[in-house]
Amino acid sequence: MKMDPIQETMEATAWRVENGAGTLRRDCLAIEAPLQIELNGKAFSVTMRTPGHDDWLVRGLLLSDGIVRPDGSVETIELLEVEGVDTARVQVPDIYLCERVMKNQALITHASCGYCGKKSFEGFPILLTPPREPLPWTFFGQLEEKLRQAQDTFRASGGAHAAAAFAREGHCLCLFEDVGRHNAVDKVIGYLLFHDRIADAAVLQVSGRVSFEIVNKACRAGIPYLSAISAPSSLAVEAAKGSGLTLVAFNRQHRFTIYSHPENIAFSKEE
């Protein structure tokens, strides 16, 4: 079936850094936005997605997550905007709902998305205090190699994400791997909190892409820089700009792109 064309990407201004030289450029981001799901008149869940085909997304989610029985069906899905957030109002006859939903048990959080499973969109991250002084651009060129060298689980399995916290002096405070991107980040933050070292963390480095939730976690932990090997989403960039977080992505082979607050990264006068 041919679908109607949907805007799944958007343009953003970013700084491309290579060999210490920065070039202002237009970049393409995959759009990320929350979809609130209301089930039979009650707030049920939030999923982060690329807008479009939300009807199919909701139907598939309800079946694959065991909310609707395999022999059941969705009666109606109304797609609308509620207080600025895309919302799907779903009606499912009670006889088609699985037992745990009827008992109002919580939806299980996915390993792939730390925000999915919440009942409502909680808004943008808190405002960060600007770093006391910029970090040099050379700091970021080292992070990919340091992360890769420590990824024992990934080398053995090819199936694990990694997250690490680095101090301003450049040493790694901790590194964890997990099948879930968000789980790896949570382990880093939990370790830093337990050992009372959260204030020592200047940069959170992640092995995968950057979603809104990764930005949100970094901001809640008060970590002012976030660096990723892969791409950011549109909502991640928007949240980083609004919160004061410096977001660096496509950070590999001593090249990276700055998507927010480039003033927090220092370049020498010669460069």
Side-chain angles (χ1 to χ4, degrees), residues 34 47 117 136 212 220:
T47 185
F212 166 82
R220 289 188 178 277

Side-chain angles (χ1 to χ4, degrees), residues 9-270:
T9 62
M10 61 177 290
E11 285 193 345
T13 302
W15 283 91
R16 177 69 169 175
V17 178
E18 186 169 0
N19 297 323
T23 305
L24 189 63
R25 54 176 284 179
R26 299 295 293 173
D27 204 47
C28 186
L29 304 175
I31 294 177
E32 179 190 30
L35 176 67
Q36 294 186 156
I37 301 173
E38 298 176 2
L39 182 60
N40 291 356
K42 296 181 180 180
F44 178 68
S45 180
V46 173
T47 185
M48 292 295 182
R49 93 292 188 216
T50 296
H53 314 310
D54 288 334
D55 182 289
W56 312 128
L57 171 65
V58 172
R59 292 175 190 273
L61 184 150
L62 292 177
L63 176 62
S64 62
D65 278 343
I67 309 305
V68 177
R69 297 205 323 258
D71 61 342
S73 64
V74 174
E75 191 172 65
T76 61
I77 298 178
E78 182 184 10
L79 301 174
L80 65 162
E81 188 176 288
V82 178
E83 297 181 354
V85 180
D86 293 338
T87 302
R89 288 182 173 163
V90 186
Q91 288 292 324
V92 178
D94 288 348
I95 60 171
Y96 294 143
L97 294 175
C98 70
E99 185 177 355
R100 70 184 175 95
V101 178
M102 294 297 291
K103 292 181 178 179
N104 293 319
Q105 294 181 6
L107 176 63
I108 297 173
T109 300
H110 294 273
S112 61
C113 177
Y115 212 93
C116 297
K118 293 183 183 291
K119 288 189 175 182
S120 62
F121 182 59
E122 297 174 353
F124 288 99
I126 59 174
L127 187 64
L128 289 172
T129 302
R132 61 180 183 271
E133 61 183 41
L135 281 174
W137 72 269
T138 51
F139 184 103
F140 296 92
Q142 311 168 32
L143 297 182
E144 180 210 9
E145 185 175 355
K146 288 182 177 181
L147 193 73
R148 178 166 40 82
Q149 289 178 349
Q151 288 182 258
D152 296 335
T153 304
F154 178 79
R155 276 197 299 275
S157 67
H161 291 282
F166 290 88
R168 291 189 66 92
E169 295 74 23
H171 61 275
C172 181
L173 298 171
C174 63
L175 181 146
F176 292 96
E177 294 182 86
D178 196 283
V179 293
R181 292 179 300 115
H182 302 81
N183 298 346
V185 171
D186 285 338
K187 289 177 180 180
V188 167
I189 294 172
Y191 174 92
L192 294 173
L193 286 172
F194 181 80
H195 293 278
D196 196 24
R197 302 205 65 184
I198 197 76
D200 296 334
V203 180
L204 176 66
Q205 171 73 32
V206 297
S207 63
R209 65 183 182 84
V210 179
S211 63
F212 166 82
E213 179 65 0
I214 299 293
V215 170
N216 193 45
K217 288 177 183 292
C219 290
R220 289 188 178 277
I223 302 175
Y225 295 84
L226 173 59
S227 172
I229 290 175
S230 193
S233 71
S234 64
L235 195 59
V237 173
E238 183 181 351
K241 288 180 177 179
S243 65
L245 179 136
T246 302
L247 176 59
V248 171
F250 293 113
N251 185 2
R252 41 196 160 181
Q253 298 177 340
H254 300 279
R255 298 191 301 269
F256 56 87
T257 303
I258 308 170
Y259 287 91
S260 64
H261 301 284
E263 69 276 9
N264 293 332
I265 297 178
F267 297 85
S268 66
K269 292 181 181 179
E270 291 77 12

